[in-house]
Amino acid sequence: MTSNTIVGAGLGVALLAAVAGTAFAEDTPKLTELSPDGKDACFGRVYDAAHLKVHPNQKVGRIFFYYGSDPVSHPNEEPSSGPSGYNGFMATTVRGAKKPEWVGGWCGKGDPQSSELHCGMECDRTMALLNVDEKGRLIVSGVHRNLNLDAGAEDELGEKEYAKQALGTEDDGFRLDRMPTQTCKAEFARIDPVDPALGAPLRERLKPDQPFCYGRDYDAAHLDSHPDQLTHTIRVFRGPIELASFAKGGDPASWPSGADIAVSLTTRRNAAEVTQTYSCDGEADQWRCVASGKTSDFSCDIAAKEIYLRRGANGTMMLANPNSSLPIIDLCSKTAEGETASDDKVYRLEPMPQSACMP
């Protein structure tokens, strides 16, 4: 498992797919070899230019191993599924890379009589074998070259591309020094820095039993400077109908999964307000909302008509419409097929009083 970004589409609209997990599983034995006091432990090393010059086949310039609660995950929109049980995390930065790649897994003793620890990952893969030497340093061995690649990458990529993407032939037998836990947390934070201006995720800001209203009215000056934008006004909200629907069939523990929202808008061509309902689920750092037939009759399958909601800076909400999924046009028309052709792809919406969203 690596920290990959899966593009959802739209300007900057992406899903961060990362392994979730916030604590040790209750039945996971504590490894006193790594942490004599039972607390989180950090080991790391940054190789200098002299070392790398002597080891030309070593790609890794920085490596950190963290034993403890998840140092990677940060607030997202997916319902909490509880701790993953992962207790070992390794971040490696190869020469020339701007940020680390990471893997997470489970570490424990394979042989009770041995001091060696085994860290495994999903798909029955090995992350590393761990030993602590007489000076308290962590010896990391058994590292496979495809550590940060998918299983079977060697066959899928071909020899040349695999050699380019895989770790080097000397990337093994790392000797790491014990470091403060904050050093590891700072290293893992380089993977996907959190913008503090974004604040809490939408699923925390927007409660399952409370209405909300976000919107924007575009003035003449804006529309003159964006001649290809059709939207004149737009509202995204949950009102009495949406609240009642969730109260009847939704599960607050899985919020925002199953949450209905409504989107109302007017266009330059039509001052009459059109409203469409969507059903949402949390996916990584955004809500994926699929058009619903609850408020409209459709002559086509609208299951692929999706919009995305994401928290914006300073309390705003971002709405992405990458594939013609807003009722700016007839969702069943030929014009609505494929990517959004007009300049109606991404909206920055401000919080509004509920009265601004109600008829």
Side-chain angles (χ1 to χ4, degrees):
M1 298 289 290
T2 60
S3 55
N4 298 321
T5 298
I6 304 174
V7 177
L11 300 177
V13 179
L15 299 175
L16 176 68
V19 178
T22 57
F24 290 116
E26 292 182 1
D27 58 352
T28 301
K30 298 297 185 288
L31 303 176
T32 55
E33 296 87 348
L34 301 180
S35 175
D37 60 4
K39 297 180 180 180
D40 292 1
C42 171
F43 303 83
R45 184 168 179 183
V46 178
Y47 292 94
D48 58 26
H51 175 98
L52 295 174
K53 185 176 181 179
V54 176
H55 297 84
N57 295 315
Q58 177 180 326
K59 291 185 180 181
V60 173
R62 302 169 66 95
I63 177 171
F64 289 80
F65 184 89
Y66 190 78
Y67 171 70
S69 53
D70 186 354
V72 181
S73 296
H74 51 75
N76 60 37
E77 302 294 353
E78 295 179 5
S80 175
S81 59
S84 67
Y86 283 14
N87 61 3
F89 304 84
M90 189 154 65
T92 53
T93 306
V94 299
R95 305 187 197 208
K98 294 182 179 180
K99 61 182 182 179
E101 294 191 70
W102 70 277
V103 291
W106 305 270
C107 300
K109 282 191 174 182
D111 180 357
Q113 305 303 317
S114 173
S115 60
E116 185 172 73
L117 305 175
H118 176 270
C119 294
M121 301 189 296
E122 293 183 358
C123 303
D124 295 325
R125 300 174 64 193
T126 294
M127 180 199 303
L129 303 176
L130 308 178
N131 286 279
V132 179
D133 69 10
E134 67 282 356
K135 295 183 178 180
R137 295 173 298 189
L138 185 69
I139 312 302
V140 181
S141 60
V143 178
H144 198 278
R145 293 188 64 196
N146 69 357
L147 177 70
N148 296 315
L149 300 174
D150 293 332
E154 191 166 1
D155 294 329
E156 295 174 3
L157 295 174
E159 184 177 348
K160 185 176 180 180
E161 187 62 24
Y162 177 76
K164 180 181 178 181
Q165 296 189 29
L167 297 182
T169 55
E170 291 189 80
D171 284 314
D172 199 12
F174 301 104
R175 195 178 299 271
L176 312 183
D177 296 318
R178 190 179 292 273
M179 295 183 172
T181 56
Q182 287 303 318
T183 302
C184 273
K185 290 182 178 179
E187 185 71 11
F188 280 92
R190 295 175 57 228
I191 297 168
D192 185 40
V194 178
D195 183 354
L198 296 180
L202 293 178
R203 67 178 176 85
E204 294 181 7
R205 286 160 40 184
L206 310 175
K207 306 300 183 183
D209 59 348
Q210 296 177 3
F212 66 74
C213 173
Y214 286 76
R216 187 158 177 190
D217 299 328
Y218 294 97
D219 58 24
H222 177 96
L223 294 175
D224 286 343
S225 62
H226 295 79
D228 294 327
Q229 177 179 320
L230 302 180
T231 307
H232 185 201
T233 68
I234 183 170
R235 301 287 187 270
V236 177
F237 61 94
R238 293 181 78 235
I241 295 175
E242 293 74 32
L243 294 177
S245 176
F246 191 82
K248 181 178 179 180
D251 177 10
S254 66
W255 173 260
S257 295
D260 286 345
I261 64 164
V263 178
S264 295
L265 52 82
T266 64
T267 68
R268 299 175 188 250
R269 303 170 184 172
N270 191 349
E273 191 173 76
V274 178
T275 301
Q276 175 58 46
T277 300
Y278 299 79
S279 181
C280 303
D281 288 288
E283 289 188 354
D285 62 348
Q286 63 191 14
W287 292 16
R288 171 178 171 269
C289 302
V290 179
S292 165
K294 292 182 178 181
T295 56
S296 306
D297 293 326
F298 288 92
S299 60
C300 65
D301 181 7
I302 59 170
K305 297 298 182 180
E306 304 167 330
I307 60 172
Y308 303 91
L309 303 182
R310 201 175 190 183
R311 68 194 193 277
N314 303 315
T316 61
M317 175 191 288
M318 305 300 296
L319 184 154
N321 174 44
N323 291 311
S324 297
S325 300
L326 285 177
I328 300 167
I329 52 179
D330 180 359
L331 295 184
C332 291
S333 67
K334 287 287 185 182
T335 310
E337 294 180 0
E339 295 182 3
T340 304
S342 63
D343 191 10
D344 298 89
K345 296 173 182 162
V346 178
Y347 304 82
R348 184 183 298 276
L349 308 178
E350 302 284 347
M352 291 184 165
Q354 199 66 24
S355 59
C357 287
M358 295 293 102

